[in-house]
């Protein structure tokens, strides 16, 4: 059911500093910052040949990332995002199998303007999983 790794996300205490490190020390191409109000995060994407790294910092007082950073003040890996072709079918199958979808269980619009859901880390070996619906036609070359 899951396809490619779309991105791996790292929560960071200082997005600007992290973006600079990736751009200048690691020599990677880094996108402009993007505010995802619905998710309570500001993100940049590090574009790699085979995948992307999402660097994220809290946005607003109620950001779910703020608590995560309290526990991991230096930053830490936050989630891994897999592509699926049909997110509604994926959610149906996962909930039938007893997996928990976070929030109201309905897909929200993610950083790439595509539907995403997050799965409970306790159901997946302590890893927060994001699923993003990427139609094969729209997959980047
Ligand atoms: Co993500």
């Amino acid at each position: 059911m899951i396809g490619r790794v779309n991105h791996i996300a790292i929560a960071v205490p200082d997005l600007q500093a992290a973006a600079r490190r990736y751009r200048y020390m690691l020599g990677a191409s880094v996108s402009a910052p993007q505010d995802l109000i619905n998710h309570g995060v500001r993100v940049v994407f590090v574009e790699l040949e085979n995948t992307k790294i999402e660097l994220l910092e809290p946005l607003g007082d109620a950001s779910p990332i703020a608590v995560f950073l309290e526990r991991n003040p230096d930053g830490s890996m936050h989630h891994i995002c897999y592509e699926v072709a049909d997110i509604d079918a994926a959610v149906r199958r996962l909930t039938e199998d007893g997996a928990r979808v976070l929030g109201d269980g309905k897909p929200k619009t993610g950083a790439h303007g595509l539907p995403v859901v997050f799965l409970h880390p306790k159901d997946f070996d302590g890893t927060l999983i994001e699923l993003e619906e990427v139609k094969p036609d729209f997959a980047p070359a």
Side-chain angles (χ1 to χ4, degrees), residues 19-98:
R20 235 186 343 252
R21 275 191 296 275
Y22 271 81
R23 191 174 286 130
Y24 298 113
M25 293 178 76
L26 295 173
S29 150
V30 181
S31 75
Q34 198 185 337
D35 288 356
L36 303 180
I37 312 275
N38 286 344
H39 297 272
V41 293
R42 174 175 292 137
V43 305
V44 300
F45 281 94
V46 180
E47 306 281 346
L48 303 175
E49 222 169 279
N50 58 343
T51 191
K52 296 183 277 288
I53 304 298
E54 175 182 39
L55 303 175
L56 52 118
E57 73 176 3
L59 180 68
D61 295 334
S63 175
I65 303 303
V67 179
F68 183 84
L69 280 173
E70 264 166 45
R71 288 195 298 258
N72 303 276
D74 296 328
S76 189
M77 207 196 108
H78 185 259
H79 64 268
I80 183 160
C81 176
Y82 300 113
E83 297 179 358
V84 293
D86 182 339
I87 203 160
D88 292 322
V91 165
R92 234 178 356 256
R93 173 166 156 186
L94 284 159
T95 46
E96 273 167 21
D97 284 343

